Amino acid sequence: ALMIAKVGNQAAVRVNGALVAQLGELGNPTYDAAKAAQLVVVPATLLRRDGLNELSIDATLQRQRAGGLSMILYGPQAAMNAVALDQFRWRFVGPLVIALSLAVMGTMALALWWRQRDPLYGTFGLAAWLGVLRNLDQVWPDVPIPWPLWGAVVAICYACHLAMICRFTLGALNLVTRRMARFIATVMGLVTVLAAASFAFGQPQLWTLGLALLVPLGVLSCANVFQAAWVRRLP
């Protein structure tokens, strides 16, 4: 068996000219094989007795979609099954558990916001559900939204998730001043525009710039939290 940690975004795997795996349709962006590690079982009848076997992989990639080809492991199927199980736990179960946890907590927070109209619950509920979409994208190979539109949606959700978590943390400590609220809103607006433009025009550096804008927001939020913790512990 072959163990391919990452291949994509669509691929066809052949051994000695025989097709052993079709991972999506080549050139069709509706499927992204890079979302999961691929275990490809090779029938023993395809292997040559002299040991000179040819492996070929044809792949098609979409821009800004993290496609490509990783190192390939091969060996007895039982050994590769163990590697595949480990990859499955980290790359599928992990993000799925996080997504489900965020969905439950986000739903509870929004329910409390609906009853009490406390902005703190609304902030966390929105942040949680933005994180749900981000984590589901890690394990969802055939999203019904076309690429690169889906890439822009996920990027915007990811950036706003981080910004909203900062706002929630500061809000829980009563540290959201008008200036800080405007700063957070400005960062979210700028990152949203940069992410949309990045995927619309094929300019990945714009998305990198958007991520860079989140850094000072995170640093400032942490500084405010540490300062509050230090001051409030004094008599």
Side-chain angles (χ1 to χ4, degrees), residues 33-86:
K35 296 291 179 66
Q38 305 294 338
L39 178 67
V40 180
V41 177
V42 181
T45 54
L46 292 179
L47 301 179
R48 296 168 181 163
R49 292 186 177 183
D50 59 8
L52 300 177
N53 297 286
E54 181 183 83
L55 169 66
S56 64
I57 300 177
D58 297 321
T60 51
L61 293 75
Q62 286 78 51
R63 59 178 173 83
Q64 295 175 269
R65 209 176 186 183
L69 181 62
S70 70
M71 180 177 65
I72 301 172
L73 303 178
Y74 65 93
Q77 185 178 351
M80 294 301 100
N81 284 341
V83 178
L85 180 59
D86 186 61

Side-chain angles (χ1 to χ4, degrees), residues 168-179:
F168 167 76
T169 304
L170 295 173
L173 299 174
N174 295 316
L175 296 176
V176 181
T177 63
R178 289 186 177 180
R179 180 177 297 180

Side-chain angles (χ1 to χ4, degrees), residues 109-117:
L110 291 176
L112 289 170
W113 171 82
W114 181 260
R115 291 181 63 86
Q116 301 181 19
R117 290 298 192 269

